[in-house]
Amino acid sequence: MSAKLVRPRNHRMIAGVCAGLAERFGMSRTTMRVIFLLSCLLPGPQFLLYIALWILLPSENAHQGHGGAAHSW
């Protein structure tokens, strides 16, 4: 679990949130997407959380493109 939490440039379906979470936690991208879709059947703010992560997570190209001067959050 040493990977940074970023939205990858490749393997995106919509915004790369599920792909980024899957890479960070060592899961399959497909598994993470299925978990998200199944969670949408439950009551809760899943779509708001996805949109918030889309806004807050840096894109992989923005994270790597500044010679180490990128944010580490």
Side-chain angles (χ1 to χ4, degrees):
M1 282 190 3
S2 63
K4 298 278 186 186
L5 187 54
V6 295
R7 294 182 298 117
R9 289 179 61 175
N10 300 322
H11 309 293
R12 289 182 176 187
M13 292 291 270
I14 297 175
V17 173
C18 289
L21 290 172
E23 286 182 15
R24 172 65 173 95
F25 294 109
M27 298 175 66
S28 162
R29 291 181 299 272
T30 304
T31 303
M32 184 61 76
R33 291 173 182 141
V34 168
I35 290 172
F36 174 73
L37 288 175
L38 290 175
S39 75
C40 290
L41 299 174
L42 301 171
Q46 290 86 346
F47 291 113
L48 294 177
L49 180 63
Y50 188 91
I51 292 170
L53 288 173
W54 186 352
I55 293 168
L56 295 174
L57 289 181
S59 184
E60 185 178 47
N61 57 352
H63 188 264
Q64 293 177 350
H66 292 84
H71 300 291
S72 60
W73 37 286

